[in-house]
Amino acid sequence: MSYENALQRLRDERGRMSVTQEQMSRFIHISQSYYSKVERGERLLAYYELKSMCEHGMDVHFIFTGQRCSGRYKDFFVKLEYAELLGHLNILSAVVKYFYVTRAGAHWESLYRQVAYLGCVEEYRKTEGNVFYGLRKQLDWPQQKMAGKLGVDVKKLRALENSKTLPDSELVYKLYDMYCIPPAAVLKDAEGMANVIGCLLEMMEKDKGEFVFRFLRELHAAALLSASARI
């Protein structure tokens, strides 16, 4: 895969949404000429421009990962808050890791690669860092090695880890391409996170996906019941 694949999916998604380059440039508050250069790979999208794409209904998860869920599960998760979605993602990751350990086969190996580094998404919430910091700590790498892998200098990595610099579209792509960190986790996008969970459930064997979905749905209902009882 290469960043050009993401650019092609960006063009595909814009076509699916019947959005012109001029409309897209207005959505994300840049000039049409600049946006045209983005699609040609001559410019990168900034963090808040990606956030604006999410807010205007673009499937950013598909653009960066090539995965598009059918809505079979997403329709439920899209109603939930981002913090709760992270909790569901942690449970789903644990289930995938369990089957990866207990069942051999390429199917579970492929799914395991999707969740192997997702612990950093939750871990960074416990620290003053962010996904970049959490990932480096999970890998147990010094900053110099992590910077080299991402193609940035150490100074920029430090700024990324401290949220003094925000990632552009190429860095968001690299995080997924190398470590399967979904763009929704970087952009803190609830609808995108619903896409992540929906896609993972659809990738599972159907009976297991249905079982995990029922469990997560019942867990949500139990949490609502508990909250209402405290009122």
Side-chain angles (χ1 to χ4, degrees), residues 7 27 58 133 144 171 183 188:
L7 294 178
F27 289 164
M58 305 295 289
Y133 176 82
Q144 186 172 6
L171 276 172
K188 300 180 180 64

Side-chain angles (χ1 to χ4, degrees), residues 137-157:
K137 288 301 181 182
Q138 185 172 344
L139 290 165
D140 194 24
W141 285 353
Q143 286 185 329
Q144 186 172 6
K145 183 174 181 178
M146 188 80 244
K149 288 290 185 180
L150 293 175
V152 300
D153 58 35
V154 173
K155 183 178 179 180
K156 182 167 183 177
L157 178 64

